[in-house]
C-alpha cells in the first residue's frame, strides 16, 4: 500500500548481500547523503555479514514483527530461521503475489 509513497524505499536482503553497493547508493540518495568513496567503502564493509558476525553485541535488538527473534546470546545475524520469516510473510503480504515474489527473490517490481 505504501511502497509508492515518496518516503518509502524498498531494498531486498538478497540484492543487498549479492551486490550491496547499488543499494547503498540508493539509500544514501534517498536520505540525501553524499558519501565520499572512503565512506562508501566503510559503509559497505560494515554492512557485511562478516563484520556483523564478528560484533554480535551491536546486533542484539528486537525485530518489529517478532520481538523474540534474534534476541538470544548470538544475536540475529547467526540465526537464519526461515520458518519465522515464512509465517511473517504469510501474515504480512496476504494475497499480494507481486510483493510475495519480491520478498522471496528480490529484484524490481512495479
Amino acid at each position: 500500500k505504501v511502497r509508492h509513497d515518496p518516503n518509502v524505499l524498498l531494498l531486498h536482503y538478497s540484492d543487498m548481500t549479492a551486490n550491496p553497493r547499488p543499494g547503498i547508493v540508493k539509500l544514501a540518495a534517498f536520505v540525501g547523503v553524499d558519501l565520499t568513496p572512503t565512506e562508501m567503502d566503510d559503509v559497505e564493509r560494515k554492512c557485511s555479514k562478516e563484520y556483523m558476525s564478528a560484533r554480535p553485541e551491536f546486533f542484539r535488538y528486537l525485530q518489529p514483527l517478532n520481538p523474540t527473534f534474534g534476541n538470544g546470546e548470538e544475536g540475529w545475524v547467526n540465526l537464519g530461521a526461515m520458518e519465522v520469516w515464512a509465517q511473517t510473510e504469510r501474515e504480512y503480504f496476504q494475497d499480494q503475489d507481486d510483493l510475495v515474489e519480491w520478498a522471496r527473490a528480490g529484484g524490481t517490481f512495479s
Side-chain angles (χ1 to χ4, degrees), residues 3-55:
R3 69 181 186 217
H4 300 294
D5 288 358
N7 63 337
V8 173
L9 174 67
L10 296 176
L11 299 171
H12 195 276
Y13 176 81
S14 66
D15 298 331
M16 293 298 294
T17 56
N19 187 9
R21 192 163 291 251
I24 295 167
V25 169
K26 284 182 189 177
L27 180 58
F30 183 75
V31 297
V33 174
D34 291 322
L35 296 173
T36 67
T38 301
E39 291 170 329
M40 179 67 71
D41 291 342
D42 196 42
V43 169
E44 187 170 9
R45 180 179 60 82
K46 289 182 176 181
C47 288
S48 72
K49 185 176 188 308
E50 294 75 23
Y51 181 90
M52 291 187 279
S53 293
R55 295 157 182 84

Side-chain angles (χ1 to χ4, degrees), residues 26-102:
K26 284 182 189 177
L27 180 58
F30 183 75
V31 297
V33 174
D34 291 322
L35 296 173
T36 67
T38 301
E39 291 170 329
M40 179 67 71
D41 291 342
D42 196 42
V43 169
E44 187 170 9
R45 180 179 60 82
K46 289 182 176 181
C47 288
S48 72
K49 185 176 188 308
E50 294 75 23
Y51 181 90
M52 291 187 279
S53 293
R55 295 157 182 84
E57 67 276 9
F58 296 128
F59 300 99
R60 286 192 196 112
Y61 58 88
L62 301 179
Q63 302 291 307
L65 298 177
N66 188 344
T68 60
F69 180 71
N71 201 26
E73 183 63 28
E74 70 282 349
W76 70 271
V77 174
N78 297 315
L79 291 179
M82 291 307 295
E83 65 277 357
V84 174
W85 168 246
Q87 178 65 30
T88 302
E89 176 187 78
R90 285 189 297 276
E91 292 170 1
Y92 189 75
F93 294 122
Q94 297 173 5
D95 295 326
Q96 301 175 71
D97 293 337
D98 60 335
L99 292 180
V100 170
E101 183 59 32
W102 179 81

